[in-house]
Amino acid sequence: MRRIIALLLSIAGLITAGIIAYQHGAFNNMDFVLYYAIIMAFFGAIVISIEFILNHNRKQKIKSLNARLTAWSSLSYHVKQIGDEAFNELPIGIFLYDNDNLTVKWSNPFANKIFGFDIENALVGQLHEALGTLIKDQVAVTTFAVGDKRYDAISSKNNQAIYLFDVTSREDIKDKYLKRSTALGVIYLDNVEEALSGFDIYEKSNIRGEYLGIITDWIQEHKGYLKLYSEDRMTIAMHYEELQKVMANKFEILNRIREVSAKHRIRISASIGIASWEVSFEELGSLAQNAIELAEKRGGDQAVVNIQNEKIAYFGGKSNASEKSSRVHVRIQSQNFRELIEASSNVVVMGHKFADIDALGAMIGIYKMVTASKKDVKIVFDLPEVDNTVKKIIPYIKEEAQHLYAQLDESKNILRFMNNDTLLVIVDTQSPNIVANQEVYKQAKKIACIDHHRHGENTFESIFMYVEPYASSSVELVAEMMEFYQKDIDLLPIEATIMYGGIIVDTNEFSYRTGTRTFGAAAYLKEHEASTVRVKEWLRLDLDRTLLINELLNSVQVITKEFAVVVDESNVVRDRVLLAQTSQKILEIEGIKAGFTIARVDDESIGISARSYDEINVQIIMEELGGGGHLNSAATQIKNQTIPEVFESLKTLLLREHDEGDERMKVILTEDVKGRGKKDDIIDVANGYGTFLLSSNKAILASDDNIKAIEKEKQLLKEREAQHLALMNKLKQEIESKSVNIFINIGNDGKLFGSVTTKQIVESFEEQTGIRLDKKKVELTSEINSVGIYTATVSLHKDVKAQFEINVLEK
């Protein structure tokens, strides 16, 4: 119709134009008439051509649409059949859920088959925890297991639908691939040359062969590969599944090597570093090398395992590190350090937060080496953030070592002193998280670290690293380096005394963690007039501090025969030094091998300080609680927990068996125990931990009579549960055969007067059917805001839900 109108308008326009041309005498000129006729002819031809093209395209489009309609008509039956087949016959689980109460509203047969029952009306989260997370966390896809099958769950948020696909074969292939992936490792035998120096060639060869034989047998047990690249260093490779077995056995090879060392009365141990990542072999080798270096930094006699997407795992390391008697390594480190200092524009020295006398002594030693090389040096020193002993010493430094005192400067001034070529030397700390000032650390471009703590994965990225966990203190390492510095170092008596105090404190007056090199460092400092008497004066406690420590000791709790804990439940903020001093005092109790003190250290954190003798490695215990330190001296701070919660966590760790040879017992849990099991589980635990569970009424002994009683109780409970479930299913049928009428007043505007509550519904249902419902378990599928028919759901059991209709009528 539109095309006809356009054509008529065009003709009318043409005639009108002709009339106007005639009125103006245009047709009196025959040449004009001829041109006008030719133009009109061409114009007509163009119009006809356009119309022809449009008609042709229109016909083609109509023809195409007709063809598609015909095809769809012929396919509609098959499409419907395919849809029915996908819903009901193909192995694709589908269910729809209600977004308000997260219950299943409809499910296809395969979805029901997956879970083994009709899942309609079941809570999505009860089908599987992963499905509840899939909906709540707005995740698109998740994989979960039901029995021995695994499924991909794909969420369609708009349609409130979950699609389930069986991916068991795919996941099995992934598991096989993971199990067969490569784990590459390095093994070092530590301290071999020093330990065998007193044996003849024949004995050395036999002892080395004994160690190699043990390691070879161990590798063969796990179907691995071993290649020596020196007499005491080797490369190993095994499959990931074998690495898991090795980890489950807690690297038992370390114990075998210790046994050989004990037999020959020598101090040889093993360090093992293993990496398992999906990377090139070159990168895998680098990761394995990093792992062995970390094991060495932590003192050896341990294994470090780095698995992709997992936290680095540590095994062994319970014994103290072997002292290296050779001083060649010290001389090389000292020379390298001197070259680094002399290649820098200036030097900044920094310790850890709340620096103690060992940190101060080590910083003084570094300061003396730097000044001997005629380089400018500053020591990061914020007076409010050092411990009380150091505060006592400062006046003596000011009086007797004015030049040293002038180099003690606040961090804000240090930042202005630094440039891109400044060397930052960090002493007496293993973690960047606890350096004295974070801004100074972050501004430094060149970092050197000298420390005696066992380092973890979170350590410094430094161009010089001298970490020896065997050392008694950081002062010991620095004092040795000073002897080999090849520059004249004029150590003042006050400076030597402070450094000597660092050794005294960290060895508890040479009572533990003391080797021949410790006494060598102490002798060097005594040669420079270090005063033992002055150190004792500085370390004396004032009366108030002594009384406070004694007060805290009144609440000491002996957890086992070797562990004791002081818990300060006052919630008063205590300084960390007080905690350390209290833990040290605990060790004076006969039989106690490790002491722990728990107290609040700031408004957000609970601190634990740990001290021990050589037999107990408190660093491993503190690492499990997020801290660290040294074998005999460690600590941690825990946020967002109460003091009783922290104590419970520590107690659990202390009671857990650390020695594989400890006797064990079986107990039956009488309540859920985090990390151990649920109520009525029978678990195998170490005697110490088992005794704790029994004494705290969390378990009973797993005797034959108790096991029979528990099994009988479980059977009775199972029968009662089955009876209750049957009763609830019967009640469901009865409820779903009923409905309830509720009459309400409606205003002129069609709105309700008041609202219909679950209380009204329950009361009306009981009045009309005689069945009483719990209003707390009744849920409405939608708000009742007008006359009509509504549905309510009542939870009768975790697996049973019933629905009934509510007829809302006007009074």
Side-chain angles (χ1 to χ4, degrees), residues 730-794:
K730 185 175 180 182
L731 181 59
K732 174 186 175 181
Q733 294 175 0
E734 192 170 349
I735 289 172
E736 291 185 338
S737 67
K738 311 289 185 184
S739 63
V740 61
N741 297 324
I742 296 180
F743 295 91
I744 58 174
N745 292 318
I746 303 283
N748 294 330
D749 56 357
K751 293 183 179 179
L752 296 181
F753 287 118
S755 60
V756 177
T757 64
T758 53
K759 184 174 182 293
Q760 279 180 270
I761 294 168
V762 167
E763 289 174 351
S764 299
F765 194 84
E766 182 178 5
E767 183 182 335
Q768 295 171 33
T769 66
I771 300 172
R772 177 178 294 180
L773 303 176
D774 184 348
K775 69 176 183 179
K776 294 178 183 177
K777 295 184 178 181
V778 175
E779 295 178 356
L780 298 173
T781 55
S782 61
E783 184 183 354
I784 298 178
N785 52 20
S786 64
V787 170
I789 298 175
Y790 297 85
T791 303
T793 301
V794 55

Side-chain angles (χ1 to χ4, degrees), residues 117-167:
F117 65 97
D118 186 350
I119 64 174
E120 196 169 325
N121 297 322
L123 286 170
V124 175
Q126 288 180 346
L127 298 178
H128 198 283
E129 185 181 351
L131 296 175
T133 305
L134 183 69
I135 297 171
K136 291 175 184 175
D137 294 353
Q138 300 295 305
V139 182
V141 183
T142 190
T143 303
F144 67 99
V146 177
D148 58 353
K149 296 283 188 179
R150 281 176 281 186
Y151 300 90
D152 270 353
I154 300 175
S155 174
S156 174
K157 307 297 181 187
N158 294 334
N159 298 320
Q160 295 181 17
I162 301 288
Y163 301 93
L164 307 172
F165 299 89
D166 189 337
V167 292

Side-chain angles (χ1 to χ4, degrees), residues 511-557:
S511 60
Y512 56 74
R513 253 194 351 257
T514 305
T516 56
R517 290 174 65 172
T518 309
F519 290 110
Y524 168 77
L525 297 171
K526 290 292 283 183
E527 288 173 7
H528 289 81
E529 301 181 43
S531 170
T532 307
V533 174
R534 294 189 78 177
V535 172
K536 293 288 275 183
E537 288 176 355
W538 292 336
L539 295 178
R540 285 189 299 185
L541 302 178
D542 60 40
L543 179 60
D544 290 340
R545 176 62 63 110
T546 303
L547 292 174
L548 180 54
I549 291 173
N550 289 334
E551 181 185 337
L552 291 173
L553 285 170
N554 285 333
S555 63
V556 68
Q557 300 182 45

Side-chain angles (χ1 to χ4, degrees), residues 553-720:
L553 285 170
N554 285 333
S555 63
V556 68
Q557 300 182 45
V558 178
I559 307 302
T560 68
K561 61 184 180 181
E562 54 190 15
F563 295 131
V565 181
V566 165
V567 183
D568 179 10
E569 297 181 348
S570 68
N571 238 13
V572 174
V573 173
R574 307 292 191 186
D575 65 82
R576 292 166 175 79
V577 177
L578 175 66
L579 273 63
Q581 290 168 336
T582 306
S583 297
Q584 190 66 53
K585 203 72 176 172
I586 294 172
L587 293 180
E588 296 180 12
I589 301 172
E590 186 178 358
I592 298 301
K593 296 177 181 177
F596 304 83
T597 303
I598 301 173
R600 183 167 292 283
V601 291
D602 59 45
D603 292 338
E604 297 178 346
S605 307
I606 307 299
I608 306 178
S609 178
R611 293 292 184 273
S612 71
Y613 293 121
D614 285 346
E615 297 174 59
I616 304 294
N617 186 341
V618 290
Q619 183 207 9
I620 291 176
I621 298 171
M622 291 298 97
E623 281 182 339
E624 292 197 49
L625 293 171
H630 199 280
L631 183 141
N632 304 116
S633 172
T636 188
Q637 286 85 47
I638 300 172
K639 294 183 182 293
N640 304 319
Q641 287 192 30
T642 63
I643 288 175
E645 287 171 343
V646 171
F647 176 48
E648 193 65 29
S649 299
L650 175 63
K651 186 161 60 174
T652 300
L653 285 175
L654 297 182
L655 291 169
R656 188 196 300 168
E657 179 192 17
H658 285 283
D659 245 327
E660 292 179 5
D662 194 15
E663 294 182 8
R664 304 183 71 82
M665 68 166 66
K666 286 188 176 181
V667 296
I668 304 168
L669 296 178
T670 55
E671 61 181 70
D672 293 354
V673 177
K674 186 178 179 182
R676 288 293 178 173
K678 297 189 175 295
K679 183 178 182 293
D680 294 336
D681 284 353
I682 299 174
I683 61 172
D684 183 62
V685 294
N687 269 349
Y689 188 57
T691 303
F692 161 69
L693 292 174
L694 296 174
S695 62
S696 57
N697 296 320
K698 294 183 178 182
I700 57 174
L701 199 62
S703 64
D704 291 341
D705 290 341
N706 285 340
I707 291 172
K708 287 177 183 177
I710 290 292
E711 291 299 328
K712 186 176 180 181
E713 188 177 336
K714 283 183 179 178
Q715 186 59 36
L716 287 172
L717 194 62
K718 191 175 179 181
E719 290 173 2
R720 290 194 201 109

Side-chain angles (χ1 to χ4, degrees), residues 59-72:
K59 286 177 181 178
Q60 287 297 108
K61 189 174 181 180
I62 291 169
K63 185 177 178 181
S64 174
L65 287 172
N66 285 333
R68 289 176 67 185
L69 285 171
T70 303
W72 274 111

